[in-house]
Amino acid sequence: MTRSTTDEAAAPQLPSPKERRRLREAKALSEEQVAAAVGVTRATVRSWETGRTSPRGRKRALYAKLIAPGPKAPTTTPSAVVAVAPAPPEPLPAPPPEPAPEARATVAAQAQAEAESAAEDKRASTAKIAAEDKRGSTGEIAAEDKGEGAAEGGAEAVGERRLSPAEAFDELYARTAPALVRQAYLLTGRRALARESVERAFQLAWHRWPEVAVDRDPAGWVRAAAYEYAMSPWHRLRRAHRHPDAPPTEPGKRALFDALLDLPPAYRRTLLLYDGVGLDLPETAAETEASTPAAAGRLMTARAAVAERLPELAAAPSPAEQSALLHDRLGGLARAEHVPVPQPARAVRTGSEDKARLWTRAAIAGVALLIAVTGLTLHTAPTHYEPPIAPAERVGGVPPRGGPQQLTVQDLQLQKSLREQLAHGPERLVPQLR
C-alpha cells in the first residue's frame, strides 16, 4: 500500500486531454510516432487524448516527457492572473561581486514568473474562469454588448477575492450562456432546442464541477457538451423538435440559414467552430474528435457548399477573406434572430441538484424493491424439488382391449330358454344338496 501510494504521488502530472493533443501536434508528432515511442497502440494514444483513459506507471512518465512543452521565455502575466496572484517576494541581495543590471532584471523576472505560476496553480479554477479568453467564452458570434474594458474590469473585480463554487459557476454561466444559445441555434435551427441544450450542458457542468473548474477551458467544456446534446439524432423523434423553425425573412440571411442546415452535422459544427467561434484548426479538430487533416477537409467542403448559396463569399479572393466574411455573416444571423433567454444560473444549479437527488432516490427505491422481491421469492419458494407430472400421450401399436361381443336375437332366445328350462333338465345339470 505504501509503495503504490508513493508511486502515484511521484507520477508526473498530465495536462487535460485537449491540451495533450495540442502539445503533440505542436511538436509535429503523429499518433503512430507517440505510440511507438511509448510502446502502445495508436488506439491507446487516441484514448489518452480523448480523456477516456490515462497512462500509468512507466508509460505515464514516458508520455509526459514526450509531450512536455519546451522552455519558454518569461512573459507578462495577464491582468486577471495578476489580480489573483500575490505580490512577488523581493529578491534576496546577491553576494558580491554585484551582477550586471541585465542579470538582476532577468533573475527578478524569473522569480516573479515562478511566484505567479505557483499562485495560478493554487487558484486554478478561479483564475481560469476570471481570465477566460473572450473568443472561447463568448464565441464572438453573439458576444454580449460589453466592451473589452468592462470585461477586464469584471475579471479584476472577480480576482480580488476567492469565489465559491456556486459564484464561479454563476460567473461562467452569465458570460457564456447567451452566446452558447445563439451558437446552438445556428447549429440546429431550433430555438427551443438551443436553449434546452445549453441548460442541459450547464446542469451537467454543475454536476461535474470539480472536473470542469480545473479544466484548461471551462467554456469549451460546456460548449462541447451543449453541441453534443443539440446534435443528438434522437431529437428527431420528438414532436416539438422534428422540424426546424421558420427561416429569416431577409433573403441573404435565409440563404445562409438554409445552407447551414443542409450541411451534414459534422461539417456544420466544424464550420461554426472555425469561422464562427474563431478556434484554430487543431482546437477545432480536437473538439470534433477528428484529425487535423480531416477537420481541414470538412471545413473546405462546408465553405464550398455555403459559397454556392452566397455569391459574395464565392467572390472573396482568399480563404482568409472568406473566413472573415463568413464570420461576420454568421454573427449577423445569430444576433438578428430572437433566440430565447436562458434561465437564471440559480435555477440551472437547483435543477441539476434536483435531478441528481431524484436519480439518487430512484436508484435507492429500485435497490429496495429488488431486495424486497428477492426476499419474497426466497420465502415462498419450495424447499425441495418436485418433478412435474408428464402429460398423457396416446400409445400406438397395442391391440384393443377384448371383451364379450353383443348378443344377437338368437343368442338372447337361447339364453332365455336355458334360464326357463334349467330346473326341468337332467339331474346332472341341476346341483342337489346331499
Side-chain angles (χ1 to χ4, degrees):
M1 179 66 70
T2 305
R3 181 177 180 181
S4 61
T5 305
T6 306
D7 294 342
E8 292 179 1
Q13 295 293 333
L14 290 176
S16 61
K18 293 169 62 176
E19 184 69 11
R20 298 172 194 173
R21 176 170 182 165
R22 190 190 66 81
L23 291 174
R24 174 180 62 79
E25 293 184 349
K27 291 191 173 185
L29 294 175
S30 62
E31 294 179 353
E32 292 82 358
Q33 293 174 345
V34 175
V38 181
V40 295
T41 61
R42 178 184 177 184
T44 303
V45 176
R46 182 173 299 177
S47 178
W48 292 348
E49 293 181 354
T50 54
R52 289 190 293 268
T53 59
S54 295
R56 296 181 179 179
R58 184 181 61 86
K59 296 178 181 178
R60 183 186 184 94
L62 291 176
Y63 183 66
K65 184 177 180 181
L66 192 62
I67 66 173
K72 296 182 179 179
T75 57
T76 304
T77 309
S79 58
V81 180
V82 173
V84 177
E90 297 181 0
L92 298 176
E98 190 71 12
E102 294 80 5
R104 288 200 304 269
T106 303
V107 172
Q110 292 178 354
Q112 180 181 1
E114 292 175 357
E116 292 170 351
S117 177
E120 182 182 358
D121 293 338
K122 185 177 180 180
R123 300 174 176 86
S125 59
T126 305
K128 285 172 183 176
I129 295 175
E132 184 65 38
D133 185 9
K134 185 182 71 174
R135 180 193 62 190
S137 60
T138 60
E140 293 186 2
I141 291 182
E144 300 296 328
D145 297 332
K146 299 178 181 179
E148 296 182 0
E152 293 177 358
E156 293 178 359
V158 170
E160 291 178 358
R161 64 184 181 86
R162 187 162 185 171
L163 298 178
S164 64
E167 292 174 343
F169 176 84
D170 294 349
E171 178 70 18
L172 178 64
Y173 184 86
R175 296 181 59 188
T176 59
L180 284 179
V181 173
R182 294 185 176 93
Q183 295 174 27
Y185 169 71
L186 293 180
L187 197 65
T188 60
R190 298 164 175 83
R191 296 176 177 86
L193 180 59
R195 175 180 176 178
E196 180 183 349
S197 303
V198 175
E199 292 176 356
R200 284 293 187 90
F202 274 99
Q203 288 179 359
L204 182 62
W206 178 244
H207 183 65
R208 302 181 182 178
W209 185 248
E211 173 188 348
V212 179
V214 299
D215 193 84
R216 185 181 65 92
D217 185 12
W221 194 99
V222 179
R223 180 178 61 239
Y227 283 13
E228 289 293 337
Y229 182 84
M231 297 176 62
S232 175
W234 296 105
H235 295 309
R236 300 175 183 174
L237 303 178
R238 303 171 60 183
R239 183 183 300 272
H241 305 316
R242 189 170 299 174
H243 302 289
D245 297 342
T249 57
E250 187 177 346
K253 291 183 173 59
R254 181 166 186 169
L256 179 59
F257 183 82
D258 295 339
L260 285 176
L261 295 185
D262 289 342
L263 293 175
Y267 292 76
R268 192 188 318 155
R269 183 176 182 179
T270 303
L271 181 68
L272 181 62
L273 288 174
Y274 188 84
D275 290 331
V277 179
L279 301 183
D280 57 7
L281 196 58
E283 291 179 351
T284 302
E287 188 159 328
T288 56
E289 296 184 359
S291 62
T292 303
R298 292 176 181 177
L299 178 62
M300 299 304 296
T301 304
R303 280 184 182 175
V306 175
E308 294 179 357
R309 306 283 187 92
L310 302 177
E312 62 272 17
L313 184 63
S318 63
E321 295 183 3
Q322 285 184 353
S323 179
L325 179 59
L326 192 57
H327 175 81
D328 295 338
R329 295 296 301 273
L330 289 173
L333 176 61
R335 288 188 294 269
E337 295 302 313
H338 299 285
V339 296
V341 180
Q343 296 181 358
R346 181 180 177 83
V348 174
R349 281 192 289 106
T350 55
S352 178
E353 294 170 357
D354 293 342
K355 185 178 296 184
R357 192 179 300 109
L358 177 63
W359 281 107
T360 303
R361 292 177 180 177
I364 295 175
V367 172
L369 179 62
L370 181 61
I371 294 174
V373 172
T374 304
L376 180 63
T377 304
L378 293 177
H379 179 71
T380 58
T383 57
H384 61 280
Y385 175 73
E386 297 180 357
I389 300 176
E393 297 181 0
R394 182 181 297 275
V395 180
V398 179
R401 186 175 180 180
Q405 302 296 326
Q406 186 176 5
L407 299 177
T408 61
V409 177
Q410 294 81 5
D411 294 338
L412 293 176
Q413 293 178 357
L414 178 62
Q415 182 182 15
K416 181 178 180 181
S417 63
L418 290 176
R419 288 178 179 178
E420 293 177 353
Q421 301 176 4
L422 181 63
H424 305 285
E427 296 181 354
R428 63 183 182 83
L429 295 178
V430 180
Q432 296 180 359
L433 296 177
R434 298 206 179 171

